[in-house]
Structures are given as structure tokens and as C-alpha cells.
Amino acid sequence: MSRWWLYRGTGEVASRPIAALPEPPPWRRFDGAGDATRPADDGGEGARKVGRVPGVPRTPAPHEVEMVNSCLYLRRPLLITGDPGTGKSALAYLIARELGLGPVLRWPITSRTVLQDGLYLYDAIARVQASNTRGETPDIGDYVHLGPLGTALLPADLPRVLLIDELDKGDIDLPNDLLNVFEEGEYEIPELVRFARTQSEVTVLTSDTGHPATVREGRVRCREFPVVIITSNGEREFPSAFMRRCLTLKLEAPDRERLAAMVASHFGQDHDLDVYQFIDEFQRRAAEAGPLAADQLLNAVNMAIRLTTSGNYEPDGEWANLVLKLWHPLSAEHG
């Protein structure tokens, strides 16, 4: 493994945040002013995604490590494809945990998602209602809420990790709408631009509860481009202009050893269950029925461990039928 890689994919928790990233390419340098704060990572959501048990080594595929580090060095979004359950979204949490970059900002995409949902929302109606109730106009900043993308672009010395989850579910225009934000590393909040003459600085809410941010002149500009992880299940192709601005990584289904490490990271090894037997059966089922998600393996292992602990685990026909139901095919064609 290259000695100059920042991310090694071992799954280890950083004892402290990385001091700084290497200098970006000249065309990816940004000069946002300010110093946005971020919450400490309590390990909650990340632990749910990648496991709570410390000291479990993870052996990533070499091309995964190469592409993540290329994303870090070049300040480019990383578009990850692969079957459901191959660990696409989990990769964002592994990066944040290993480099100490704080909680992941997650932006789940639906068919109704538009760019502004990720940047900010302004609740004008609530502000008018509050004005009528109080008899005075309340601070506009109390009604501006930065979304995950908008929060990730706040100026700071270290980048945030932004997960744009399942972009292929979004509107066909959304990838193109993201291009300018990705290139410029900034955006405007028109509602605040109109206030800039009389109120040049406005404190707004962010996606980090308890961590408001100051917006100057109605514009947000990053200082370090966020680590943008975009996942796609490959349900449709993206425009070539969008693809040119992204690095790409395809994740294959995890092999036997990676599945064993995944199970150990969630459940440890202080149990009597033969995990490798479970994994072998899981992989045989996947070969017969079509791709299965690693979550489906974890569900079955969790039940088996709980039943083993209570003395009720019996690998009989009834259990085998239940496992087949838990390991149902993910695609209709294999149903």
C-alpha cells in the first residue's frame, strides 16, 4: 500500500482529526472566509453503519483505497456504483471515522429532490406568522436552514464528508444542477443577498444541530472542498458533463473474509456461532437466488447469536426456512 495514502481503509477510529490535507490542484483551491464549527463525532450513526467493536481489522480492495485517496487529493466527488448491500454508503462513514472528519452529512435523494433541498430551505410563511404574533419582524436567520450540501460547503480548515445517497433515484436534471456547485464550491441564498445592505452577516441554522453558522453577504463559499461520496445503484446513466467531474468506483460484493470482518465489527467474537458456516451458506444462497445485501447476513447472524445466548438456537428445518425468508432476492427477476 502506498506510503503517501491518507486513507487506508482499515476501519480504525482516528485518535485525532487529520492535521490537514495535501495542497489541492490550483484549479480546486477555494478561499471561503470564516470558521464553521462542527459537532464532535460520538460514533453513533457511524457505528451503526460500520460496526461498534474496536480492533477488528478491515482489508479493503486496493482499487477502493486508490480511488478514495484520489478523491481526497484531487478534491473531486467520488461516484460509487454496485449492487445494493455492497457497502457503498458505509464507505463515507469509514472515511470520516478514519480521518477524524466528524459526523457524515447525509443527503438522501428521492424522486422529488431538487438542488435547493440540499443547499438550504427558507420558511417565509413561518416568519410572517411569527411577525404577526409578535408584532415585530423576527431575525431572518432563524428561518434559514442549511441542508446537508449547504452545510458541507461552509468554510473550515478541514473538509466535511458529504454522502449523497442514491442519486439515480433523483430527478433527471439534478446531476446537471449539481455541476456549478461542484465546480465553484459556493452558492448564494437570494433571501439573504437582499438583506446584505442592512445586515451583512446573518446567523443561520445548519444540518448540525446546535451549530449555527454565519453567512456573509448572502453567500456561502468553502475553504476546503468537502469529501463528496455519491452512491448509485446503476438504475440509470448520468450526463457526460457530470461524469467528467467525478471519479468513479465500482464496489463488488464482499468476499468471505470481508464478510467475516463485517460480522466481527458488529458482534465481536465472544459467541459460539460458526460465522464462516453462515457466510458460506449466505454466499451459496446469493449464487442461486441473485445478489443479496450484507445487511441480510447481519440480520440472520444477529438472530442466531441472540438465540444461542438464550439456549434456543437449533439449526433445524424451521430455522433454515426462516433464514431463506431473511435472505430473499433483492431483484424481481430472481424472485
Side-chain angles (χ1 to χ4, degrees):
M1 185 177 293
S2 174
R3 65 180 180 276
W4 43 275
W5 284 153
L6 300 171
Y7 170 77
R8 298 181 179 275
T10 60
E12 295 179 2
V13 179
S15 57
R16 63 178 64 88
I18 188 173
L21 295 185
E23 283 294 311
W27 55 90
R28 297 298 292 162
R29 291 177 183 165
F30 304 97
D31 58 0
D35 191 15
T37 62
R38 69 187 71 199
D41 188 357
D42 62 4
E45 188 171 12
R48 286 196 302 105
K49 297 291 186 181
V50 297
R52 298 176 181 273
V53 180
V56 177
R58 179 179 181 271
T59 305
H63 71 285
E64 172 194 315
V65 177
E66 292 169 355
M67 294 313 299
V68 169
N69 280 283
S70 297
C71 159
L72 294 171
Y73 275 81
L74 298 175
R75 276 46 167 205
R76 285 293 182 186
L78 180 62
L79 174 63
I80 306 178
T81 59
D83 290 329
T86 52
K88 299 187 294 296
S89 61
L91 188 55
Y93 295 90
L94 286 165
I95 296 169
R97 185 161 82 171
E98 185 173 322
L99 300 185
L101 297 178
V104 171
L105 293 162
R106 179 173 175 265
W107 183 18
I109 304 301
T110 71
S111 60
R112 298 179 300 277
T113 301
V114 296
L115 178 63
Q116 186 169 326
D117 296 330
L119 292 176
Y120 77 96
L121 295 175
Y122 171 53
D123 194 342
I125 295 175
R127 187 166 181 247
V128 170
Q129 290 173 339
S131 177
N132 293 335
T133 301
R134 300 178 193 174
E136 60 182 22
T137 303
D139 190 339
I140 190 173
D142 293 340
Y143 301 90
V144 175
H145 193 161
L146 303 189
L149 174 57
T151 301
L153 290 169
L154 288 168
D157 291 332
L158 286 175
R160 293 297 296 271
V161 177
L162 170 68
L163 171 61
I164 303 178
D165 211 7
E166 299 190 322
L167 182 61
D168 49 344
K169 288 186 176 180
D171 183 84
I172 193 170
D173 293 325
L174 183 57
N176 280 329
D177 293 340
L178 285 166
L179 292 181
N180 187 63
V181 177
F182 285 167
E183 283 304 292
E184 303 303 325
E186 66 179 16
Y187 64 97
E188 282 189 349
I189 302 177
E191 293 84 355
L192 299 187
V193 172
R194 292 194 290 269
F195 275 76
R197 284 190 201 170
T198 56
Q199 190 175 345
S200 61
E201 295 187 355
V202 176
T203 299
V204 302
L205 305 174
T206 73
S207 290
D208 295 321
T209 302
H211 288 260
T214 300
V215 176
R216 295 174 175 83
E217 307 294 335
R219 181 181 294 273
V220 175
R221 181 174 175 82
C222 70
R223 189 157 63 248
E224 273 290 352
F225 189 77
V227 181
V228 180
I229 304 299
I230 305 170
T231 71
S232 167
N233 290 325
E235 295 178 2
R236 64 180 176 87
E237 294 184 357
F238 297 117
S240 58
F242 177 81
M243 296 298 295
R244 284 200 306 271
R245 289 162 174 83
C246 295
L247 304 179
T248 60
L249 168 65
K250 182 176 182 180
L251 289 185
E252 304 295 340
D255 60 19
R256 192 172 188 254
E257 293 305 319
R258 290 178 67 191
L259 286 172
M262 190 181 303
V263 171
S265 69
H266 284 276
F267 303 109
Q269 298 175 332
D270 187 20
H271 55 76
D272 296 327
L273 195 68
D274 186 345
V275 170
Y276 279 104
Q277 181 180 349
F278 256 81
I279 292 172
D280 291 342
E281 293 175 2
F282 175 79
Q283 291 184 315
R284 279 196 295 271
R285 174 64 174 164
E288 296 169 358
L292 300 176
D295 286 352
Q296 293 173 283
L297 171 65
L298 296 176
N299 288 337
V301 171
N302 179 68
M303 289 192 65
I305 289 176
R306 297 295 179 267
L307 292 172
T308 299
T309 303
S310 64
N312 293 318
Y313 174 64
E314 289 290 343
D316 53 15
E318 183 181 359
W319 170 254
N321 287 333
L322 174 59
V323 169
L324 286 178
K325 293 175 183 177
L326 294 175
W327 293 348
H328 61 83
L330 298 178
S331 61
E333 63 182 280
H334 292 101

